[in-house]
Amino acid sequence: MVRSCVGVVLGVLPVLALAACSTAPSFVVRDEPWRAEEERACLASGQVHEAPPFVTVRASLGGPSVCGALRPFAVSATAGGTVAFEPPALVGCQMVHALDYWAQRVVVPAARRYLRADVVGVTVAGSYSCRPMNGVDGALLSEHGHANAVDVSGFVLGNGSVVKVRSGWSGSPVEQNFLRAVHDGSCRVFTTVLGPGYDGLHHDHFHLDLARHTGDGRICK
């Protein structure tokens, strides 16, 4: 049976949640003007701009739909091209800046301290995806659907070896120290950081996003 592809804007009228009807899970969309406001401010600031081949502008992310960003970017490398993202992360303006800062100020220093090595790559398990949170039918639209989140499953070192979140979280002492330093440092950059210590859905990756939260404004688990 084909499911309905209609999401609901809370307190407003129903809107089309997916570009076309499919068997994909439906989701609920909130009316959040701050998203477009923050993205426009980021674009106007000049902090983020196209820098081929490392950061390129995408014409769209498969729209039109309620998902995506005003001006999406594909990030194939950060830190001046020294840290590759494979596959490239599809994100909005704010995430481009955050990922670059994160790679330079969190990931690279942690690797040098605990692994005595340079990180030359980040394995991207997921970025833009027009879907509900955790893929649950009827849930809120995921931050991935807003091009506002990246899932990271591993870190490639200069010698070609890979520190995987799945095995390294309970792996050797140096891997554990490195991954926990990255997790903790990520909480200073992103507003949501979820890892293996949170739940089974995140046993093999770090989820990083810039969602708005009440309270202290951050979720770090």
Side-chain angles (χ1 to χ4, degrees), residues 2-210:
V2 177
R3 287 199 184 115
S4 168
C5 298
V6 175
V8 178
V9 177
L10 302 185
V12 195
L13 295 174
V15 298
L16 190 65
L18 299 178
C21 252
S22 70
T23 57
S26 61
F27 47 77
V28 175
V29 184
R30 285 188 174 135
D31 183 20
E32 298 172 306
W34 64 265
R35 292 186 183 276
E37 292 168 1
E38 285 194 354
E39 186 176 1
R40 289 191 181 97
C42 177
L43 292 168
S45 72
Q47 286 185 311
V48 175
H49 52 83
E50 190 169 31
F54 309 129
V55 178
T56 56
V57 175
R58 290 288 296 267
S60 71
L61 292 174
S65 76
V66 295
C67 295
L70 298 175
R71 189 183 185 192
F73 291 84
V75 179
S76 60
T78 59
T82 61
V83 180
F85 276 55
E86 180 58 41
L90 303 179
V91 293
C93 183
Q94 302 95 305
M95 282 294 291
V96 176
H97 177 65
L99 289 171
D100 187 60
Y101 184 92
W102 172 74
Q104 294 191 64
R105 303 296 181 89
V106 175
V107 177
V108 170
R112 289 174 177 171
R113 178 177 181 182
Y114 294 106
L115 303 175
R116 299 293 188 266
D118 283 325
V119 167
V120 298
V122 170
T123 305
V124 177
S127 55
Y128 171 73
S129 178
C130 189
R131 62 171 175 80
M133 292 177 63
N134 299 321
V136 177
D137 191 30
L140 286 172
L141 176 61
S142 169
E143 289 301 313
H144 288 282
H146 293 291
N148 196 38
V150 170
D151 291 340
V152 172
S153 62
F155 301 88
V156 182
L157 306 183
N159 61 9
S161 62
V162 181
V163 178
K164 297 181 179 180
V165 175
R166 180 174 186 171
S167 56
W169 191 256
S170 300
S172 67
V174 292
E175 288 180 325
Q176 291 189 45
N177 289 337
F178 164 68
L179 290 174
R180 280 161 176 75
V182 170
H183 178 277
D184 294 346
S186 299
C187 295
R188 300 192 301 270
V189 180
F190 301 95
T191 56
T192 310
V193 178
L194 304 176
Y198 177 53
D199 63 13
L201 294 173
H202 298 83
H203 72 285
D204 60 355
H205 69 275
F206 294 145
H207 169 92
L208 314 171
D209 73 44
L210 291 172

